[in-house]
């Protein structure tokens, strides 16, 4: 029985068409700029996002790091959300490797940063303070539930940034999920910002890689940073080839993942003891929480990891993202039967649970 893996869309394996394209890709030395397949992917990505240039990088983490280091010098400050991936999950790279100071402000439940919070966080010109250089946004916002920022909101942030001489970077690891959910062109989401990263290796199914996009000058600086980080890859066309297939064929179908996330959310939140933690899914993520009165008989221990383990025994993997919470992410390899099997397995396990009313 194949495992139903809902921990993340990063678990997606390349499709048959990707494997074919990888096997047949023309390649060259990309550190010399001579890999035709990498060059083609970069041109496609820049065109799709309406930017002058693009850079293929091994991961979203490196894309964000190269972007922050290309925008900021040592001791400069970036304003970002306290729930952002760059702040929480990138091993502190911007400060460890770039000497960039982070100023965290609260992410609102919709993934946005409050414009007044941003305004207050911008440093005045004073030798006591770091110099504010950059605002970083995330769309879709992972930790806030796969929620989407609208082009209008991003435009307001960009105007604020411009008024203070700041740049804006967008962590668009799942930018295409946001575009599909909003029914807008990816370029409309990239237009307000100076730089944007997106992942090929998540819902788009490519095995490896992200792309950073921006102006020619910006990409030239980021290219040097990528080299410093050890991210110059040689015959990387074998990877970029899968990325090209991803951009050509995988974007419109993300809507299916969003529909399945909604179905999963409806089915699971109807079970006793489980509630949606971040509302109805907007894209491909379902966050669930066990109600306060919930307990599971048997061995002690936090209930979410215990339930996750029981699911694993039934061939279903979900993320336990807290002692009482789960994250489930739909993707190309999750079909309707997998959704039904997941709901049924949760139902089976939760049958034995006790839910006291918490009034
Ligand atoms: C996955 C992710 C990244 C980093 O991508 P990796 O390729 O795993 O390094 C960055 N930002 C967000 C929001 C992500 O979900």
């Amino acid at each position: 029985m194949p495992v139903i893996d809902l921990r993340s869309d990063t678990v997606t394996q390349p499709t048959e068409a990707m494997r074919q394209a990888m096997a047949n890709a023309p390649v060259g030395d990309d550190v010399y700029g001579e890999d035709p397949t990498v060059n083609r992917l970069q041109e496609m990505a820049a065109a799709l996002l309406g930017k002058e240039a693009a850079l293929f990088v091994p991961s979203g983490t490196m894309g964000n790091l190269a972007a922050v280091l290309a925008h900021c010098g040592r001791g400069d400050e970036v304003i970002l959300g306290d729930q952002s991936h760059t702040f929480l999950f990138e091993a502190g790279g911007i400060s460890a490797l770039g000497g960039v100071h982070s100023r965290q402000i609260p992410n609102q439940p919709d993934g946005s940063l409050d414009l007044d919070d941003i305004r207050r966080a911008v440093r005045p010109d004073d030798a006591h303070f770091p110099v504010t250089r950059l605002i970083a946004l995330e769309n879709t916002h992972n930790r806030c539930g796969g929620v989407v920022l609208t082009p209008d909101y991003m435009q307001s942030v960009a105007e604020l940034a411009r008024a203070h001489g700041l740049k804006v970077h967008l962590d668009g690891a799942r930018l295409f999920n946001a575009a599909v959910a909003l029914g807008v062109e990816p370029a409309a989401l990239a237009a307000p910002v100076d730089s944007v990263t997106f992942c090929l290796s998540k819902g788009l199914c490519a095995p490896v890689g992200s792309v950073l996009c921006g102006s020619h000058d910006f990409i030239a600086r980021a290219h040097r940073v990528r080299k410093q980080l050890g991210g110059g890859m040689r015959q990387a066309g074998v990877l970029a080839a899968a990325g090209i297939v991803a951009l050509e064929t995988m974007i419109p179908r993300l809507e299916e993942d969003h529909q399945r996330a909604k179905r999963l959310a409806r089915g699971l939140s109807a079970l006793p003891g489980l509630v949606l933690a971040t509302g109805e899914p907007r894209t491909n993520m379902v966050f669930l929480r066990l109600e306060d009165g919930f307990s599971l008989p048997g061995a002690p221990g936090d209930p979410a990891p215990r339930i996750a383990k029981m699911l694993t025994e039934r061939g279903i993997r979900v993320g336990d993202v807290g002692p009482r919470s789960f994250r489930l992410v739909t993707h190309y390899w999750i079909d309707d039967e997998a959704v039904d099997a997941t709901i049924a397995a949760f139902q089976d396990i939760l049958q034995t649970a006790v839910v006291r009313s918490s009034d």
Side-chain angles (χ1 to χ4, degrees):
M1 189 182 65
V3 171
I4 297 170
D5 197 340
L6 291 153
R7 287 172 300 165
S8 178
D9 46 11
T10 57
V11 303
T12 45
Q13 300 198 0
T15 62
E16 197 46 46
M18 288 176 184
R19 291 179 187 271
Q20 290 291 328
M22 293 171 79
N24 298 319
V27 294
D29 190 328
D30 182 53
V31 174
Y32 295 156
E34 291 173 3
D35 189 303
T37 309
V38 171
N39 290 339
R40 189 162 153 239
L41 171 66
Q42 291 175 163
E43 282 157 23
M44 276 178 70
L48 190 58
L49 295 199
K51 297 294 182 201
E52 288 174 4
L55 185 69
F56 185 49
V57 288
S59 67
T61 299
M62 190 185 287
N64 288 332
L65 179 57
V68 173
L69 270 55
H71 284 302
C72 303
R74 299 189 70 80
D76 287 347
E77 193 164 70
V78 52
I79 296 172
L80 42 59
D82 64 353
Q83 300 299 310
S84 67
H85 194 279
T86 298
F87 176 58
L88 292 175
F89 301 125
E90 294 173 17
I94 60 170
S95 65
L97 303 172
V100 177
H101 201 238
S102 75
R103 178 78 177 268
Q104 311 101 43
I105 61 178
N107 275 112
Q108 303 302 311
D110 67 0
S112 69
L113 302 175
D114 182 85
L115 294 177
D116 287 327
D117 285 347
I118 298 178
R119 225 172 263 121
R120 277 191 294 271
V122 178
R123 307 278 194 166
D125 182 15
D126 180 319
H128 292 81
F129 299 142
V131 176
T132 310
R133 287 276 180 223
L134 181 66
I135 301 169
L137 299 175
E138 185 175 315
N139 199 10
T140 67
H141 200 289
N142 182 339
R143 212 53 202 308
C144 290
V147 291
V148 295
L149 303 177
T150 63
D152 279 354
Y153 166 75
M154 295 206 299
Q155 185 57 38
S156 322
V157 174
E159 279 163 21
L160 195 164
R162 223 161 289 133
H164 291 89
L166 310 177
K167 302 290 187 193
V168 183
H169 172 67
L170 177 62
D171 176 355
R174 296 184 181 81
L175 182 81
F176 300 112
N177 292 88
V180 165
L182 288 160
V184 302
E185 292 300 319
L189 293 173
V193 303
D194 299 285
S195 60
V196 52
T197 44
F198 65 81
C199 290
L200 295 161
S201 60
K202 293 186 170 167
L204 300 186
C205 277
V208 176
S210 285
V211 184
L212 172 61
C213 303
S215 68
H216 284 302
D217 284 353
F218 168 81
I219 291 297
R221 295 198 303 279
H223 186 255
R224 176 168 282 119
V225 176
R226 186 185 71 174
K227 184 68 194 170
Q228 292 174 325
L229 296 173
M233 299 183 286
R234 301 294 177 175
Q235 285 74 38
V238 288
L239 299 173
I244 291 170
V245 176
L247 292 184
E248 282 177 343
T249 65
M250 302 300 276
I251 296 172
R253 66 150 306 284
L254 292 172
E255 179 56 28
E256 286 178 38
D257 299 341
H258 300 176
Q259 291 307 325
R260 291 197 178 100
K262 287 191 175 66
R263 229 157 63 73
L264 198 52
R266 268 197 304 277
L268 292 175
S269 63
L271 301 178
L274 268 182
V275 287
L276 292 175
T278 55
E280 275 277 298
R282 288 299 314 278
T283 55
N284 66 333
M285 294 187 176
V286 185
F287 283 75
L288 294 153
R289 182 167 59 70
L290 293 165
E291 282 180 75
D292 291 344
F294 179 95
S295 62
L296 204 58
D302 290 326
R306 283 180 58 204
I307 292 170
K309 190 157 166 285
M310 287 187 256
L311 288 166
T312 302
E313 286 157 9
R314 290 157 207 245
I316 296 170
R317 307 204 65 182
V318 302
D320 50 301
V321 293
R324 305 179 70 82
S325 48
F326 304 97
R327 187 185 77 163
L328 286 73
V329 186
T330 55
H331 53 74
Y332 183 81
W333 299 102
I334 299 296
D335 57 13
D336 290 334
E337 286 95 88
V339 169
D340 292 340
T342 303
I343 297 168
F346 262 99
Q347 183 164 26
D348 193 37
I349 291 167
L350 294 183
Q351 268 177 30
T352 63
V354 181
V355 188
R356 275 178 291 105
S357 73
S358 47
D359 46 19

